[in-house]
């Protein structure tokens, strides 16, 4: 699956990009129909510590899945977003099997 990684407002290092791509690619174990994905990193102004935002879009035939998570680190946010997408994929897969 093609994974595009972008950082908005700052320059992300290659280690962070590779981490995100590896995590998102693991979603392929739950569905064969994933076409592409886009990961966006962004720093947000919040009062708390969770000022790192990660958006992940995953394109699959007939649907687009999306997750946005905030955390203290980008790695935590990526983990949470991938877990949310995993749940969405499994839910969608369950609906398709019932048909």
């Amino acid at each position: 699956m093609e994974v595009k990684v972008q950082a908005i407002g700052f320059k992300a290092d290659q280690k962070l990009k590779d981490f995100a791509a590896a995590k998102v690619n693991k979603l392929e174990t739950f569905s064969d129909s994933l076409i592409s994905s886009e990961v966006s990193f962004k720093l947000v102004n919040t009062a708390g510590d969770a000022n790192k935002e990660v958006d992940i879009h995953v394109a699959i035939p007939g649907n687009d899945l999306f997750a946005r998570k905030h955390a203290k680190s980008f790695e935590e946010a990526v983990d949470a977003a991938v877990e949310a997408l995993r749940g969405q994929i499994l839910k969608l897969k369950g609906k398709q099997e019932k048909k």
Side-chain angles (χ1 to χ4, degrees):
M1 170 176 52
E2 178 187 358
V3 179
K4 292 181 185 177
V5 180
Q6 64 178 355
I8 301 169
F10 71 101
K11 181 159 175 53
D13 64 351
Q14 193 60 42
K15 184 179 174 185
L16 180 60
K17 291 178 181 180
D18 292 342
F19 174 82
K23 287 288 188 172
V24 171
N25 275 323
K26 287 184 181 180
L27 290 173
E28 285 186 305
T29 60
F30 302 104
S31 176
D32 299 338
S33 59
L34 304 181
I35 300 170
S36 66
S37 63
E38 195 171 301
V39 180
S40 299
F41 295 109
K42 186 175 171 185
L43 290 169
V44 293
N45 293 328
T46 60
D49 291 339
N51 67 338
K52 313 290 191 297
E53 179 181 283
V54 173
D55 293 347
I56 303 177
H57 292 267
V58 176
I60 60 174
N63 289 303
D64 279 350
L65 304 177
F66 175 76
R68 172 179 287 155
K69 297 294 179 182
H70 296 87
K72 292 180 182 180
S73 72
F74 284 118
E75 290 83 2
E76 286 179 43
V78 167
D79 284 338
V82 167
E83 186 61 30
L85 287 167
R86 184 183 72 82
Q88 292 178 35
I89 290 169
L90 293 175
K91 184 176 178 181
L92 187 65
K93 200 173 183 181
K95 286 182 181 179
Q96 290 173 348
E97 288 174 1
K98 289 181 182 179
K99 289 183 180 178

Coordinates of all heavy atoms in Angstrom, one line a residue:
M1 N 0.8 -1.2 0.0 CA 0.0 0.0 0.0 C 0.9 1.2 0.0 O 1.9 1.3 0.7 CB -0.9 0.0 1.2 CG -1.6 1.3 1.5 SD -2.8 1.3 2.8 CE -1.9 0.7 4.2
E2 N 0.5 2.2 -0.7 CA 1.2 3.5 -0.8 C 0.9 4.3 0.4 O -0.3 4.5 0.8 CB 0.9 4.2 -2.1 CG 1.5 5.6 -2.2 CD 1.0 6.4 -3.4 OE1 0.2 5.9 -4.1 OE2 1.5 7.5 -3.5
V3 N 1.9 4.8 1.1 CA 1.7 5.6 2.3 C 2.4 7.0 2.1 O 3.6 7.0 1.9 CB 2.3 5.0 3.6 CG1 2.1 5.8 4.8 CG2 1.6 3.6 3.8
K4 N 1.6 8.0 2.1 CA 2.2 9.4 2.0 C 2.2 10.0 3.4 O 1.2 9.9 4.1 CB 1.3 10.3 1.1 CG 1.3 9.9 -0.3 CD 0.4 10.8 -1.1 CE 0.3 10.4 -2.6 NZ -0.6 11.3 -3.4
V5 N 3.4 10.5 3.7 CA 3.5 11.1 5.1 C 3.9 12.6 4.9 O 4.8 12.9 4.1 CB 4.6 10.4 5.9 CG1 4.8 11.0 7.3 CG2 4.3 8.9 6.0
Q6 N 3.2 13.5 5.6 CA 3.5 14.9 5.5 C 3.5 15.5 6.9 O 2.7 15.1 7.7 CB 2.6 15.6 4.5 CG 1.1 15.7 5.0 CD 0.3 16.4 4.0 OE1 0.8 17.0 3.0 NE2 -1.0 16.4 4.2
A7 N 4.3 16.5 7.1 CA 4.3 17.3 8.3 C 3.9 18.7 8.0 O 4.4 19.3 7.1 CB 5.7 17.3 8.9
I8 N 2.9 19.2 8.7 CA 2.4 20.6 8.5 C 3.0 21.5 9.5 O 2.8 21.4 10.7 CB 0.9 20.5 8.6 CG1 0.3 19.6 7.5 CG2 0.3 21.9 8.4 CD1 -1.2 19.2 7.7
G9 N 3.7 22.5 9.1 CA 4.3 23.5 9.9 C 5.6 23.2 10.5 O 6.2 24.0 11.3
F10 N 6.2 22.1 10.2 CA 7.5 21.7 10.7 C 8.1 20.6 9.8 O 7.4 20.0 9.0 CB 7.5 21.2 12.2 CG 6.9 19.9 12.4 CD1 7.6 18.7 12.6 CD2 5.5 19.7 12.4 CE1 7.1 17.5 12.7 CE2 4.9 18.5 12.6 CZ 5.7 17.4 12.7
K11 N 9.4 20.3 10.0 CA 10.0 19.3 9.2 C 10.2 18.0 10.1 O 10.9 18.0 11.1 CB 11.4 19.8 8.7 CG 12.1 18.7 7.8 CD 13.1 19.4 7.0 CE 13.9 18.4 6.2 NZ 13.2 17.5 5.4
A12 N 9.5 17.0 9.7 CA 9.6 15.7 10.4 C 10.8 14.9 10.0 O 11.2 15.0 8.8 CB 8.3 14.8 10.1
D13 N 11.5 14.3 10.9 CA 12.6 13.5 10.6 C 12.2 12.2 9.9 O 11.1 11.7 10.0 CB 13.6 13.3 11.8 CG 12.9 12.5 12.9 OD1 11.7 12.2 12.8 OD2 13.6 12.1 13.8
Q14 N 13.1 11.5 9.2 CA 12.9 10.3 8.5 C 12.4 9.2 9.4 O 11.6 8.3 9.0 CB 14.1 9.9 7.7 CG 13.8 8.8 6.6 CD 12.8 9.3 5.6 OE1 12.8 10.4 5.1 NE2 11.9 8.4 5.3
K15 N 13.0 9.2 10.6 CA 12.6 8.1 11.6 C 11.1 8.1 11.9 O 10.5 7.1 12.0 CB 13.5 8.3 12.9 CG 13.3 7.2 13.9 CD 14.2 7.5 15.1 CE 13.9 6.5 16.2 NZ 14.6 6.8 17.4
L16 N 10.6 9.3 12.1 CA 9.2 9.5 12.4 C 8.3 9.1 11.2 O 7.3 8.4 11.3 CB 8.8 10.9 12.8 CG 7.4 11.2 13.1 CD1 6.9 10.4 14.3 CD2 7.2 12.7 13.4
K17 N 8.7 9.5 10.0 CA 8.0 9.1 8.8 C 8.0 7.6 8.6 O 7.0 7.0 8.3 CB 8.6 9.8 7.6 CG 8.4 11.3 7.5 CD 9.1 11.9 6.3 CE 8.9 13.4 6.3 NZ 9.6 13.9 5.1
D18 N 9.2 6.9 8.8 CA 9.3 5.5 8.7 C 8.4 4.8 9.7 O 7.8 3.7 9.4 CB 10.7 5.0 8.8 CG 11.6 5.5 7.6 OD1 11.0 5.9 6.6 OD2 12.8 5.5 7.8
F19 N 8.4 5.3 10.9 CA 7.6 4.7 12.0 C 6.1 4.7 11.6 O 5.4 3.7 11.7 CB 7.8 5.5 13.3 CG 6.9 5.1 14.4 CD1 7.2 3.9 15.2 CD2 5.7 5.8 14.7 CE1 6.4 3.5 16.2 CE2 4.9 5.4 15.7 CZ 5.2 4.2 16.5
A20 N 5.6 5.9 11.1 CA 4.2 6.0 10.7 C 3.9 5.1 9.6 O 2.9 4.4 9.6 CB 3.9 7.4 10.4
A21 N 4.8 5.0 8.6 CA 4.5 4.2 7.4 C 4.5 2.7 7.8 O 3.6 1.9 7.3 CB 5.6 4.4 6.4
A22 N 5.3 2.3 8.7 CA 5.4 0.9 9.1 C 4.1 0.5 9.9 O 3.5 -0.5 9.7 CB 6.6 0.6 10.0
K23 N 3.6 1.4 10.8 CA 2.4 1.2 11.5 C 1.2 1.1 10.6 O 0.3 0.2 10.8 CB 2.2 2.3 12.6 CG 3.1 2.2 13.8 CD 2.8 1.0 14.6 CE 3.6 1.0 15.9 NZ 3.1 0.0 16.8
V24 N 1.1 2.0 9.7 CA -0.1 2.1 8.8 C 0.0 0.8 7.9 O -1.1 0.3 7.6 CB -0.1 3.4 8.0 CG1 -1.1 3.3 6.9 CG2 -0.3 4.6 8.9
N25 N 1.1 0.4 7.4 CA 1.2 -0.8 6.6 C 0.7 -2.0 7.3 O 0.3 -3.0 6.6 CB 2.6 -1.0 6.0 CG 2.9 -0.1 4.8 OD1 2.0 0.0 3.9 ND2 4.1 0.4 4.7
K26 N 0.8 -2.1 8.6 CA 0.3 -3.2 9.3 C -1.2 -3.4 9.2 O -1.7 -4.5 9.5 CB 0.7 -3.1 10.8 CG 2.2 -3.4 11.0 CD 2.6 -3.4 12.5 CE 4.1 -3.6 12.7 NZ 4.4 -3.6 14.1
L27 N -1.9 -2.4 8.8 CA -3.3 -2.5 8.6 C -3.7 -3.4 7.5 O -4.8 -3.9 7.4 CB -3.9 -1.1 8.4 CG -4.0 -0.1 9.5 CD1 -4.4 1.3 9.1 CD2 -4.9 -0.6 10.7
E28 N -2.7 -3.6 6.6 CA -3.0 -4.6 5.5 C -3.3 -6.0 5.9 O -3.9 -6.8 5.2 CB -1.8 -4.5 4.5 CG -1.8 -3.3 3.6 CD -0.7 -3.4 2.6 OE1 0.5 -3.6 2.9 OE2 -1.1 -3.2 1.4
T29 N -2.9 -6.3 7.2 CA -3.1 -7.7 7.7 C -4.6 -7.9 7.9 O -5.1 -9.0 8.0 CB -2.3 -7.9 8.9 OG1 -2.7 -7.0 9.9 CG2 -0.8 -7.9 8.7
F30 N -5.4 -6.8 8.1 CA -6.8 -6.9 8.4 C -7.7 -6.8 7.1 O -8.8 -7.1 7.2 CB -7.2 -5.8 9.4 CG -6.4 -5.9 10.7 CD1 -5.4 -5.0 10.9 CD2 -6.7 -6.9 11.6 CE1 -4.7 -5.1 12.1 CE2 -5.9 -7.0 12.7 CZ -4.9 -6.1 13.0
S31 N -7.1 -6.2 6.0 CA -7.9 -6.1 4.8 C -7.0 -6.1 3.6 O -6.0 -5.4 3.6 CB -8.8 -4.8 4.9 OG -9.5 -4.7 3.7
D32 N -7.4 -6.8 2.6 CA -6.6 -6.8 1.3 C -7.0 -5.6 0.4 O -6.3 -5.4 -0.6 CB -6.9 -8.1 0.6 CG -6.5 -9.3 1.4 OD1 -5.7 -9.2 2.3 OD2 -7.0 -10.4 1.1
S33 N -8.0 -4.9 0.7 CA -8.5 -3.9 -0.2 C -8.0 -2.5 0.1 O -8.5 -1.6 -0.5 CB -10.1 -3.9 -0.2 OG -10.5 -3.7 1.1
L34 N -7.0 -2.3 0.9 CA -6.5 -1.0 1.2 C -5.7 -0.5 0.0 O -4.9 -1.2 -0.5 CB -5.6 -1.0 2.4 CG -6.3 -1.5 3.7 CD1 -5.2 -1.4 4.8 CD2 -7.5 -0.8 4.1
I35 N -6.1 0.7 -0.5 CA -5.4 1.2 -1.7 C -4.2 2.1 -1.4 O -3.1 1.9 -1.8 CB -6.4 2.0 -2.6 CG1 -7.6 1.1 -3.0 CG2 -5.8 2.6 -3.8 CD1 -8.7 1.8 -3.6
S36 N -4.5 3.1 -0.6 CA -3.5 4.1 -0.2 C -3.8 4.7 1.1 O -4.9 4.6 1.6 CB -3.3 5.1 -1.3 OG -4.5 5.9 -1.4
S37 N -2.8 5.4 1.7 CA -3.1 6.1 2.9 C -2.3 7.4 3.0 O -1.3 7.5 2.3 CB -2.8 5.2 4.1 OG -1.4 4.9 4.1
E38 N -2.7 8.3 3.8 CA -2.1 9.6 3.9 C -2.0 9.9 5.4 O -3.0 9.9 6.1 CB -2.9 10.7 3.2 CG -2.1 11.9 3.0 CD -2.9 12.9 2.1 OE1 -3.2 12.5 0.9 OE2 -3.2 14.0 2.5
V39 N -0.8 10.2 5.9 CA -0.6 10.5 7.3 C -0.1 12.0 7.4 O 0.8 12.4 6.7 CB 0.5 9.6 7.9 CG1 0.7 10.0 9.4 CG2 0.1 8.2 7.8
S40 N -0.8 12.8 8.3 CA -0.4 14.2 8.4 C -0.1 14.4 9.9 O -0.9 14.1 10.8 CB -1.6 15.1 8.1 OG -1.9 14.9 6.7
F41 N 1.1 15.0 10.1 CA 1.5 15.4 11.5 C 1.3 16.9 11.6 O 1.6 17.7 10.7 CB 3.0 15.1 11.7 CG 3.3 13.6 11.6 CD1 4.0 13.1 10.6 CD2 2.9 12.8 12.7 CE1 4.3 11.7 10.6 CE2 3.2 11.4 12.7 CZ 3.9 10.9 11.6
K42 N 0.9 17.3 12.8 CA 0.6 18.7 13.0 C 0.8 19.1 14.5 O 0.4 18.3 15.3 CB -0.8 19.1 12.5 CG -1.2 20.5 12.6 CD -2.6 20.6 12.0 CE -3.2 22.0 12.1 NZ -4.5 22.1 11.7
L43 N 1.4 20.2 14.7 CA 1.5 20.7 16.1 C 0.4 21.7 16.3 O 0.1 22.5 15.5 CB 2.8 21.5 16.3 CG 4.1 20.6 16.3 CD1 5.3 21.5 16.3 CD2 4.1 19.7 17.6
V44 N -0.4 21.5 17.4 CA -1.5 22.3 17.7 C -1.3 23.1 19.0 O -0.6 22.6 19.9 CB -2.9 21.5 17.7 CG1 -3.2 21.0 16.4 CG2 -2.8 20.4 18.7
N45 N -1.9 24.2 19.1 CA -1.8 25.0 20.3 C -2.9 24.6 21.2 O -4.1 25.0 21.0 CB -1.9 26.5 20.0 CG -0.7 27.0 19.2 OD1 0.4 26.5 19.3 ND2 -0.9 28.0 18.3
T46 N -2.6 23.9 22.3 CA -3.5 23.5 23.3 C -3.0 23.8 24.7 O -1.8 24.0 24.8 CB -3.9 22.0 23.2 OG1 -2.7 21.3 23.4 CG2 -4.5 21.6 21.9
A47 N -3.8 23.9 25.6 CA -3.4 24.2 27.0 C -2.7 23.0 27.6 O -1.8 23.2 28.5 CB -4.6 24.6 27.8
G48 N -3.0 21.8 27.2 CA -2.4 20.6 27.8 C -1.2 20.1 27.1 O -0.6 20.8 26.2
D49 N -0.7 19.0 27.5 CA 0.5 18.4 27.0 C 0.3 17.8 25.6 O 1.2 17.6 24.8 CB 1.1 17.3 27.9 CG 1.6 17.9 29.2 OD1 1.9 19.1 29.2 OD2 1.7 17.2 30.2
A50 N -1.0 17.4 25.3 CA -1.3 16.6 24.1 C -1.4 17.6 22.9 O -2.5 17.8 22.4 CB -2.6 15.8 24.3
N51 N -0.2 18.1 22.5 CA -0.3 19.1 21.4 C 0.2 18.5 20.1 O 0.4 19.2 19.1 CB 0.6 20.3 21.8 CG 2.1 19.9 21.9 OD1 2.4 18.8 22.1 ND2 2.9 20.9 21.7
K52 N 0.3 17.2 20.0 CA 0.7 16.6 18.7 C -0.6 15.9 18.1 O -1.2 15.2 18.8 CB 1.7 15.5 19.0 CG 2.9 15.8 19.9 CD 3.9 16.8 19.2 CE 5.2 17.0 19.9 NZ 5.1 17.5 21.3
E53 N -0.8 16.3 16.9 CA -2.0 15.8 16.2 C -1.6 14.9 15.0 O -0.8 15.3 14.2 CB -2.9 16.9 15.8 CG -4.2 16.5 15.0 CD -5.0 17.7 14.6 OE1 -5.7 18.3 15.4 OE2 -4.9 18.1 13.4
V54 N -2.3 13.8 14.8 CA -2.0 12.9 13.7 C -3.4 12.6 13.0 O -4.3 12.2 13.7 CB -1.3 11.6 14.1 CG1 -1.2 10.6 13.0 CG2 0.0 11.9 14.7
D55 N -3.4 12.9 11.7 CA -4.6 12.5 10.9 C -4.1 11.4 10.0 O -3.1 11.5 9.3 CB -5.1 13.7 10.0 CG -5.6 14.8 10.8 OD1 -5.9 14.6 12.0 OD2 -5.8 15.9 10.3
I56 N -5.0 10.3 9.9 CA -4.7 9.3 8.9 C -5.9 9.0 8.1 O -7.0 8.7 8.6 CB -4.2 8.0 9.6 CG1 -3.0 8.2 10.5 CG2 -3.9 6.9 8.6 CD1 -2.6 7.0 11.3
H57 N -5.8 9.1 6.8 CA -6.8 8.8 5.8 C -6.4 7.5 5.1 O -5.3 7.4 4.7 CB -6.9 9.8 4.7 CG -7.5 11.2 5.2 ND1 -8.8 11.5 5.2 CD2 -6.9 12.2 5.7 CE1 -9.0 12.7 5.6 NE2 -7.8 13.2 6.0
V58 N -7.3 6.5 5.0 CA -7.1 5.3 4.3 C -8.1 5.1 3.3 O -9.3 5.2 3.5 CB -7.1 4.1 5.3 CG1 -6.9 2.8 4.5 CG2 -6.0 4.2 6.3
A59 N -7.7 4.9 2.0 CA -8.6 4.8 0.9 C -8.8 3.3 0.6 O -7.9 2.5 0.5 CB -8.1 5.4 -0.4
I60 N -10.1 2.9 0.6 CA -10.5 1.5 0.2 C -11.7 1.7 -0.7 O -12.3 2.7 -0.7 CB -10.9 0.7 1.5 CG1 -12.0 1.2 2.2 CG2 -9.7 0.5 2.4 CD1 -12.5 0.4 3.3
P61 N -11.9 0.7 -1.6 CA -13.0 0.8 -2.5 C -14.3 1.0 -1.9 O -14.7 0.3 -1.0 CB -13.0 -0.6 -3.2 CG -11.6 -1.1 -3.1 CD -11.2 -0.6 -1.7
G62 N -15.0 2.1 -2.3 CA -16.3 2.4 -1.8 C -16.3 3.2 -0.5 O -17.3 3.7 -0.1
N63 N -15.2 3.4 0.2 CA -15.1 4.1 1.5 C -13.8 4.7 1.6 O -12.8 4.3 1.0 CB -15.3 3.1 2.6 CG -16.7 2.6 2.8 OD1 -17.6 3.3 2.9 ND2 -16.8 1.3 2.7
D64 N -13.8 5.7 2.5 CA -12.5 6.3 3.0 C -12.6 6.3 4.5 O -13.6 6.7 5.1 CB -12.3 7.7 2.5 CG -11.8 7.8 1.1 OD1 -11.4 6.8 0.6 OD2 -11.8 8.9 0.5
L65 N -11.6 5.7 5.1 CA -11.6 5.7 6.6 C -10.7 6.8 7.1 O -9.7 7.2 6.4 CB -11.0 4.3 7.1 CG -11.8 3.1 6.5 CD1 -11.1 1.9 7.0 CD2 -13.2 3.1 7.0
F66 N -11.0 7.3 8.3 CA -10.3 8.5 8.8 C -10.2 8.4 10.3 O -11.1 8.0 11.0 CB -11.0 9.8 8.5 CG -10.4 11.0 9.1 CD1 -9.2 11.6 8.5 CD2 -11.0 11.6 10.2 CE1 -8.7 12.7 9.1 CE2 -10.4 12.7 10.7 CZ -9.2 13.3 10.2
A67 N -9.0 8.8 10.8 CA -8.8 8.8 12.3 C -7.9 10.0 12.6 O -7.0 10.3 11.9 CB -8.2 7.6 12.8
R68 N -8.3 10.8 13.6 CA -7.5 11.9 14.1 C -7.3 11.7 15.6 O -8.3 11.5 16.4 CB -8.3 13.2 13.9 CG -7.6 14.4 14.5 CD -8.3 15.7 14.3 NE -8.1 16.1 12.9 CZ -8.9 16.8 12.1 NH1 -10.0 17.3 12.7 NH2 -8.6 17.1 10.9
K69 N -6.1 11.8 16.0 CA -5.8 11.6 17.4 C -4.8 12.6 17.9 O -3.9 13.0 17.1 CB -5.2 10.2 17.7 CG -6.2 9.0 17.4 CD -7.3 9.1 18.3 CE -8.3 7.9 18.0 NZ -9.5 8.0 18.9
H70 N -4.9 13.0 19.2 CA -3.9 13.9 19.9 C -3.2 13.1 21.0 O -3.8 12.3 21.6 CB -4.7 15.1 20.5 CG -5.4 15.9 19.5 ND1 -6.7 15.7 19.0 CD2 -5.0 17.0 18.8 CE1 -7.0 16.6 18.1 NE2 -6.0 17.4 18.0
A71 N -2.0 13.5 21.2 CA -1.2 12.8 22.2 C 0.0 13.7 22.6 O 0.3 14.7 22.0 CB -0.7 11.4 21.8
K72 N 0.8 13.2 23.6 CA 2.0 13.9 24.0 C 3.1 13.8 23.0 O 4.0 14.6 22.9 CB 2.4 13.4 25.4 CG 1.5 13.8 26.5 CD 2.0 13.3 27.8 CE 1.1 13.6 28.9 NZ 1.5 13.2 30.2
S73 N 3.1 12.6 22.3 CA 4.1 12.4 21.2 C 3.4 12.0 19.9 O 2.3 11.4 20.0 CB 5.1 11.4 21.7 OG 4.5 10.1 21.7
F74 N 4.1 12.1 18.8 CA 3.6 11.7 17.6 C 3.4 10.2 17.5 O 2.5 9.7 16.9 CB 4.4 12.2 16.4 CG 4.2 13.7 16.1 CD1 5.3 14.6 16.2 CD2 3.0 14.2 15.7 CE1 5.1 15.9 15.9 CE2 2.8 15.5 15.4 CZ 3.9 16.4 15.6
E75 N 4.4 9.5 18.1 CA 4.3 8.0 18.1 C 3.0 7.5 18.8 O 2.4 6.6 18.3 CB 5.6 7.4 18.8 CG 6.8 7.6 17.9 CD 7.5 9.0 18.1 OE1 7.0 9.8 18.9 OE2 8.5 9.2 17.4
E76 N 2.7 8.1 20.0 CA 1.5 7.7 20.7 C 0.3 8.0 19.9 O -0.7 7.2 19.8 CB 1.4 8.5 22.0 CG 2.3 8.1 23.1 CD 2.2 8.9 24.4 OE1 1.0 9.2 24.7 OE2 3.2 9.3 24.9
A77 N 0.3 9.2 19.2 CA -0.9 9.5 18.4 C -1.0 8.6 17.2 O -2.2 8.2 16.8 CB -0.8 11.0 17.9
V78 N 0.1 8.2 16.6 CA 0.0 7.3 15.5 C -0.5 5.9 15.9 O -1.4 5.3 15.3 CB 1.4 7.1 14.8 CG1 1.4 5.9 13.9 CG2 1.8 8.3 14.1
D79 N -0.1 5.4 17.1 CA -0.6 4.2 17.6 C -2.1 4.2 17.8 O -2.8 3.3 17.5 CB 0.2 3.8 18.9 CG 1.6 3.3 18.7 OD1 1.9 2.8 17.6 OD2 2.4 3.4 19.7
A80 N -2.5 5.3 18.4 CA -4.0 5.4 18.7 C -4.8 5.5 17.5 O -5.9 4.9 17.4 CB -4.2 6.7 19.6
A81 N -4.3 6.3 16.5 CA -5.0 6.4 15.2 C -5.1 5.1 14.4 O -6.1 4.7 13.9 CB -4.4 7.5 14.4
V82 N -4.0 4.4 14.4 CA -3.9 3.1 13.7 C -4.9 2.1 14.4 O -5.6 1.3 13.8 CB -2.5 2.5 13.7 CG1 -2.5 1.1 13.3 CG2 -1.7 3.4 12.7
E83 N -4.9 2.1 15.7 CA -5.8 1.2 16.5 C -7.3 1.6 16.1 O -8.1 0.7 16.0 CB -5.6 1.4 18.0 CG -6.4 0.4 18.8 CD -6.1 -1.1 18.5 OE1 -5.0 -1.4 18.1 OE2 -7.0 -1.9 18.7
A84 N -7.6 2.9 16.0 CA -9.0 3.3 15.7 C -9.3 2.8 14.3 O -10.4 2.4 14.0 CB -9.1 4.8 15.8
L85 N -8.4 2.9 13.4 CA -8.6 2.5 12.0 C -8.7 1.0 11.9 O -9.5 0.5 11.1 CB -7.4 2.9 11.1 CG -7.4 4.4 10.8 CD1 -6.1 4.8 10.1 CD2 -8.6 4.8 9.8
R86 N -8.0 0.3 12.7 CA -8.1 -1.2 12.8 C -9.6 -1.6 13.1 O -10.2 -2.4 12.5 CB -7.1 -1.8 13.8 CG -7.2 -3.3 13.8 CD -6.2 -3.9 14.9 NE -6.7 -3.6 16.2 CZ -7.6 -4.4 16.8 NH1 -8.1 -5.5 16.2 NH2 -8.0 -4.2 18.0
G87 N -10.1 -0.9 14.1 CA -11.5 -1.1 14.5 C -12.5 -0.8 13.4 O -13.4 -1.6 13.2
Q88 N -12.2 0.3 12.7 CA -13.1 0.6 11.6 C -13.0 -0.4 10.5 O -14.1 -0.8 9.9 CB -12.7 2.0 11.0 CG -13.0 3.2 11.9 CD -12.5 4.5 11.3 OE1 -12.6 4.7 10.2 NE2 -12.0 5.4 12.2
I89 N -11.9 -0.9 10.2 CA -11.7 -1.9 9.1 C -12.4 -3.2 9.5 O -13.1 -3.8 8.7 CB -10.2 -2.2 8.9 CG1 -9.6 -1.0 8.2 CG2 -10.0 -3.4 8.0 CD1 -8.1 -1.0 8.1
L90 N -12.2 -3.6 10.8 CA -12.9 -4.9 11.2 C -14.4 -4.7 11.2 O -15.1 -5.6 10.9 CB -12.4 -5.3 12.6 CG -10.9 -5.7 12.7 CD1 -10.5 -5.9 14.1 CD2 -10.6 -6.9 11.8
K91 N -14.9 -3.5 11.6 CA -16.3 -3.3 11.6 C -16.9 -3.3 10.2 O -17.9 -3.9 9.9 CB -16.6 -1.9 12.3 CG -18.1 -1.6 12.4 CD -18.2 -0.3 13.1 CE -19.7 0.1 13.3 NZ -19.9 1.4 13.9
L92 N -16.2 -2.7 9.3 CA -16.6 -2.7 7.9 C -16.5 -4.1 7.3 O -17.4 -4.5 6.6 CB -15.7 -1.8 7.1 CG -16.0 -1.5 5.6 CD1 -17.4 -0.7 5.6 CD2 -15.0 -0.7 5.0
K93 N -15.5 -4.8 7.6 CA -15.4 -6.2 7.2 C -16.5 -7.1 7.7 O -17.0 -7.9 7.0 CB -14.0 -6.7 7.6 CG -13.5 -7.9 6.8 CD -12.1 -8.2 7.3 CE -11.5 -9.3 6.5 NZ -10.1 -9.7 7.0
G94 N -16.9 -6.9 8.9 CA -18.0 -7.6 9.5 C -19.3 -7.3 8.8 O -20.1 -8.2 8.5
K95 N -19.5 -6.1 8.4 CA -20.8 -5.7 7.7 C -20.8 -6.3 6.3 O -21.8 -6.8 5.8 CB -20.8 -4.2 7.5 CG -21.2 -3.5 8.8 CD -21.4 -2.0 8.5 CE -21.7 -1.2 9.7 NZ -21.8 0.2 9.5
Q96 N -19.6 -6.4 5.6 CA -19.5 -7.0 4.3 C -19.8 -8.5 4.3 O -20.3 -9.1 3.4 CB -18.2 -6.7 3.7 CG -18.0 -5.2 3.3 CD -16.6 -4.9 2.8 OE1 -15.7 -5.7 3.0 NE2 -16.4 -3.7 2.3
E97 N -19.3 -9.2 5.4 CA -19.5 -10.6 5.5 C -21.0 -11.0 5.8 O -21.4 -12.0 5.4 CB -18.6 -11.2 6.7 CG -17.2 -11.2 6.3 CD -16.3 -11.6 7.5 OE1 -16.8 -11.9 8.6 OE2 -15.1 -11.6 7.3
K98 N -21.7 -10.1 6.4 CA -23.2 -10.3 6.7 C -24.0 -10.2 5.4 O -25.1 -10.8 5.3 CB -23.7 -9.3 7.7 CG -23.2 -9.6 9.1 CD -23.7 -8.6 10.1 CE -23.2 -8.8 11.5 NZ -23.7 -7.9 12.4
K99 N -23.5 -9.5 4.4 CA -24.3 -9.4 3.2 C -24.2 -10.6 2.3 O -23.5 -11.4 2.3 CB -23.7 -8.2 2.4 CG -24.1 -6.8 3.0 CD -23.6 -5.7 2.1 CE -23.9 -4.4 2.8 NZ -23.4 -3.3 2.0

